[in-house]
Amino acid sequence: MRRTSPSRASVLGIAVACAALILTGADRKKKDVPPKVNETIGDVATIFGSEVKVEGVGLLLGLDGTGSEPAPSWQQRKLVDEMQKAGIPHPDKFLKSANRTLVIVRATIPAGMTAKDKFDVEIELPPASGTTSLAGGWLVQTRLAQRVATKEGDKDDKVIAAAVGPVLIGSAARPTDPKIGRVLGGGHVLQDAPYLLSIREVRRSGKTSQLLENVVKQRFHETVDGSSKGMAEAKTDSALVLHVPKTYHHNQTRYHQVVLYLSLIDNPALREQRLQEWGKDLLDPKKAGIAAIKLEGLGPVAGPVLKQAFTSPDETVRFFAAEALAYLNDGDSAAILYEVARKKPEFRSHALKAMSAMDQAASLLKLRALMNEPEPELRYGAFNALRTLDPTDPFLGKLRVLDELPEPEEKDEMAFPIEGQPRPKARPRPEEPFALYVVDCEGPPMIHVSRKLRCEVVVFGKGQKMLTPIVLGAGGPLLLNASDGDDRVQISKITSKNLDLPRARVNSSLEIAEIIREMANLGASYPQIATALGDAWIQKNLPGPFVVDAVPVDNLAYNAAQIVSLVPGKKDGEVQKTGAEQKRTGLLERFGKMIGR
């Protein structure tokens, strides 16, 4: 409430102010509470972020006679309406094709997404659809919106995301079902969805909100377009927008932990005292995890204290110290994290994340070395970490897939303009249909494909060749044939569209990377190539294992070791659950309205 001086206020003004105080007695409790010396952000605020479920009606092109005209329904009416808005003439006639089909597109958008991030979308057919298979389909650009309940029934809310790309049939539960599918990394949000730093009700005030902004900005800021940008923005007396720095983008939970342990009051004397106190706690295995987070929050000044723990006889103490140093971009932590990734699977995921946060030569070299290890999860985990650290690193062995970019068989006339950009003239294919890497490393040969987030084939071991005899692709659009002892393989493409034409054929060497490229140049999609490689593994045509999604995952052993010193049930800034792990229905919608989005 705004207060005025009685000497300057009119009698009427005083009366109104008094009445307001009586009617809003709760406001008398909202006085600014000075922060205490040992208080942290976690003592006065909580980080929130929620998953958002979105849905849309989409159109699949490129089916090989397995599609169908959509039956009359609200989805069919919605799709026709979208097509009319896109300027497509005679949409009803356009949909009467066995090479197209209407689909339902759904996705769950994780908290903290930015417009540059990608997420998977799920594809399914409406109940009355006559489509028999989604194989080979391409999802044209589709609007995704939240569905909200109204008195008239569920309706679409504001469009917040879009999806486009090739369909990989099946799901984790039903991998061979041709009537469901996914578009890997096909979705993206139209605007960043930052987290919310919500101030506890008893501490809400403009001064507290500004204090939290200053504390976060002092520790975390980035240079954007030549100017420094803080990672927190005070929006109201009860909430701040919390952005995630690039260093922590792949480990946002870690960032939340560090933020919630930032001290509200700081000065040189207090900082020196905390360095000594937390440095002592760091050497205690029961306190090391939390002490490392607190020291990380102090910034590079904590480096020498963290390095003192490297001489500890306890490997957990050494690991937590090295992990914190990595997020401070100190390469001296690389050797310890390398050994932890190799020898402690329960900490592997976090060790690799930490190594990918360091822009240091030592980390690059250690990640390259880990790709020589025989364990698939460790090899691909190291590859993934190296790509996160430096997508252009030559050791990744990225190859061009297509000899030249083809014109799309059908244009995506439904592509809609986003944020003032002109409507694309053709369907927005990526530069390449998928990513192909050949890693020149030691260790046994291995092929890895992804069924989450990205279309990607990684061949570990340069010069890998398929083993003959080869008979692959029976019943599919691509056929691979080689007799026992042949040094070449014939690749043929045949579809219902060219039954009366000569088959497209190429002869390739047996080198796996070349076979993949030749299949792609004949028009094979990533899902078709991933399926062909899986079939080759089943028929013993590959010299090494075929691995899918061998990504190290977080586990409870790490969490238990990190927070072992916490008192169960303690309600303060001790971070047992971060905002990333909490779901609040409708949070992002309310937050969007609050900041005027």
Side-chain angles (χ1 to χ4, degrees), residues 228-272:
S228 181
K229 176 184 177 182
M231 294 293 101
E233 301 172 64
K235 293 295 181 180
T236 70
D237 63 356
S238 61
L240 300 88
V241 173
L242 184 67
H243 300 283
V244 180
K246 181 180 179 181
T247 300
Y248 292 89
H249 191 68
H250 63 292
N251 191 356
Q252 298 182 18
T253 297
R254 177 79 180 189
Y255 173 62
H256 295 160
Q257 290 177 318
V258 176
V259 166
L260 291 176
Y261 272 111
L262 293 177
S263 299
L264 297 184
I265 298 178
D266 187 29
N267 58 51
L270 284 174
R271 182 165 296 195
E272 185 60 32

Side-chain angles (χ1 to χ4, degrees), residues 282-392:
L282 181 65
L283 300 178
D284 182 347
K286 293 183 179 181
K287 300 179 179 180
I290 299 302
I293 290 173
K294 292 178 178 179
L295 289 165
E296 188 177 324
L298 293 178
V301 68
V305 176
L306 288 164
K307 291 180 184 180
Q308 289 178 8
F310 285 1
T311 60
S312 171
D314 189 282
E315 62 180 352
T316 301
V317 169
R318 298 195 300 271
F319 166 66
F320 282 131
E323 183 183 27
L325 270 174
Y327 288 99
L328 297 176
N329 199 31
D330 193 316
D332 289 348
S333 60
I336 291 176
L337 294 173
Y338 167 80
E339 291 298 330
V340 169
R342 288 183 63 240
K343 299 177 180 179
K344 290 185 72 67
E346 65 271 28
F347 289 174
R348 178 173 294 157
S349 170
H350 291 273
L352 291 172
K353 287 177 183 177
M355 294 176 78
S356 68
M358 279 188 289
D359 186 15
Q360 298 289 335
S363 185
L364 289 170
L365 294 173
K366 292 299 184 183
L367 288 171
R368 292 174 180 176
L370 287 173
M371 283 191 278
N372 295 323
E373 297 290 325
E375 190 175 351
E377 182 187 84
L378 181 54
R379 296 181 87 180
Y380 182 71
F383 173 89
N384 200 28
L386 180 58
R387 182 185 47 221
T388 300
L389 177 57
D390 182 6
T392 65

Side-chain angles (χ1 to χ4, degrees), residues 25 60 65 95 128 135 144 151 200 234 249 251 322 354 403 426 507-508 581:
L60 247 61
L95 293 173
L144 301 177
K151 292 181 180 179
R200 303 184 195 280
H249 191 68
N251 191 356
D403 294 335
N507 287 308
S508 168
E581 298 168 318

Side-chain angles (χ1 to χ4, degrees), residues 18 100 284 355 498:
C18 290
R100 303 164 189 148
D284 182 347
M355 294 176 78
N498 65 354

Side-chain angles (χ1 to χ4, degrees), residues 379-439:
R379 296 181 87 180
Y380 182 71
F383 173 89
N384 200 28
L386 180 58
R387 182 185 47 221
T388 300
L389 177 57
D390 182 6
T392 65
D393 190 297
F395 197 79
L396 294 171
K398 188 171 186 178
L399 299 180
R400 188 169 183 82
V401 176
L402 301 180
D403 294 335
E404 58 183 34
L405 300 179
E407 288 293 325
E409 294 179 3
E410 294 184 272
K411 292 185 178 181
D412 180 4
E413 301 291 355
M414 292 179 62
F416 55 90
I418 298 175
E419 295 185 0
Q421 297 178 5
R423 184 190 308 276
K425 294 183 179 180
R427 81 183 183 191
R429 286 185 182 275
E431 182 180 346
E432 298 261 56
F434 59 91
L436 173 62
Y437 299 87
V438 177
V439 183

